[in-house]
Structures are given as C-alpha cells and as structure tokens.
Amino acid sequence: MIREIPASGIRDHLRDLADILAACVADGASVGFVMPFGKAEALRFWEELVPEIESGERILFGAFEGERMVGTVSLALAGMPNQTHRAEISKMLVHPEFRRRGLARALVEALLVRAEGLGRDLITLDTRTGDAAQHLYTACGFLPAGEIPEYALAPEGTARRDATLFMYRLGAKAA
C-alpha cells in the first residue's frame, strides 16, 4: 500500500527510512552516498530532512508491507516565485528485498497525482544513466533532458565516476 506520510508522523518512520536507504546504498544504488555507509548515516540523512517535510517543502510517500515501510520517494517543491509550477523527485528507494512487486511505479504514480493536485505540472529528476530507475521513469512518461558524464562517484566507493541523466515530465496542463 502506498500512502503519503504526514509531517506529524515522519518521526515514526525514521528507522524504516534509514533501513531502506542503507540497504539500497549497500546494494549499489546511486542516490548520493558511497560505501562505507550504514544505518547511522542513513538515519542522520532522514533526520536532517524532517524540517523540510514538516514545513511542507518536501512531501514524502511510503510503500508499506503491513506496518513496515519498504519503499519511499519524495517530492521536493521548488520554492522560488518563478518555479511554483515545478517539483523534483528525490530518493526513489525500494528495499532490495521488496523489489519487482510494482512498488516503485506505484510510488511514482502516487507522487505524480499529488504533484498535479498542487499545480506542479513540470516534474524533474536525475538518475544514473542506464539504471533500472531510468527505465521506470521512461515508462512513467519522463523524457531525457540531457546527460552529464562523470557526474557522481560510484556508490561502491571506487574511483569510477558515473554519468547522470536528467529527466522531466510535463503534465497535461503544461503539455
């Protein structure tokens, strides 16, 4: 089940969020962190985002199996006066043990519905070029905007630098 996490309940989910993030990074996800990376660092990351979620600058969604959150994605709302029509997808994560069940697509679809309800009809994101996430986003209607070579260090902590693809999706209003 996919649901939006209310600001008042974000602290109740910090441990699950940290577990998801740490497991994804350990599994090779290119989401801003490099190994070694553990649950303590993951917990710190989410704790630092709490003020953005509480203020409404970021909207968080969770995918649940029973009471356990096993996936997440957030919608970061652009705040400048000339950017109130757009938002960015961030930290699209599904715990490796729960992949291949349609959770990632369901999370993105829930996020897109919420964005549309807020009048955010341009959604942007970035993903490591060639990742499975790129295929997911393409299937959800995202188009490539451009690629930057050597944009991010490899998550396993090697000297390799991976290319990043920036993508966008225009909603019905904007198209």
Side-chain angles (χ1 to χ4, degrees):
M1 170 176 34
I2 307 301
R3 58 182 201 244
E4 185 174 330
I5 307 303
S8 60
I10 182 60
R11 293 180 193 280
D12 298 336
H13 298 287
L14 289 175
R15 295 271 175 216
D16 281 345
L17 288 163
D19 183 50
I20 294 164
L21 178 56
C24 288
V25 173
D27 194 52
S30 181
V31 291
F33 304 99
V34 296
M35 294 300 286
F37 181 81
K39 287 186 185 175
E41 294 92 350
L43 184 58
R44 247 189 323 278
F45 168 79
W46 288 110
E47 287 172 339
E48 290 173 5
L49 281 186
V50 167
E52 282 184 45
I53 295 164
E54 290 177 337
S55 73
E57 297 170 64
R58 181 178 300 270
I59 299 169
L60 187 70
F61 295 84
F64 290 83
E65 290 280 333
E67 293 302 310
R68 180 181 175 193
M69 184 187 294
V70 297
T72 186
V73 67
S74 70
L75 181 68
L77 304 175
M80 297 301 294
N82 71 340
Q83 299 172 10
T84 58
H85 64 291
R86 71 177 186 83
E88 180 180 0
I89 289 181
S90 178
K91 297 301 178 270
M92 172 59 243
L93 305 164
V94 174
H95 194 290
E97 294 174 13
F98 294 89
R99 292 185 182 155
R100 311 291 307 160
R101 299 180 189 189
L103 296 174
R105 186 173 187 124
L107 281 163
V108 171
E109 289 173 356
L111 177 144
L112 292 172
V113 168
R114 182 70 161 99
E116 182 180 328
L118 293 170
R120 305 293 175 133
D121 56 15
L122 171 60
I123 310 300
T124 62
L125 62 89
D126 66 89
T127 187
R128 180 172 46 189
T129 302
D131 266 3
Q134 180 181 339
H135 305 291
L136 164 71
Y137 297 132
T138 299
C140 290
F142 285 82
L143 300 170
E147 179 182 82
I148 300 175
E150 299 190 28
Y151 188 80
L153 296 175
E156 62 271 8
T158 65
R160 188 183 81 237
R161 297 180 190 179
D162 295 328
T164 292
L165 180 66
F166 288 81
M167 301 180 82
Y168 69 97
R169 182 179 191 267
L170 288 170
K173 236 166 118 178

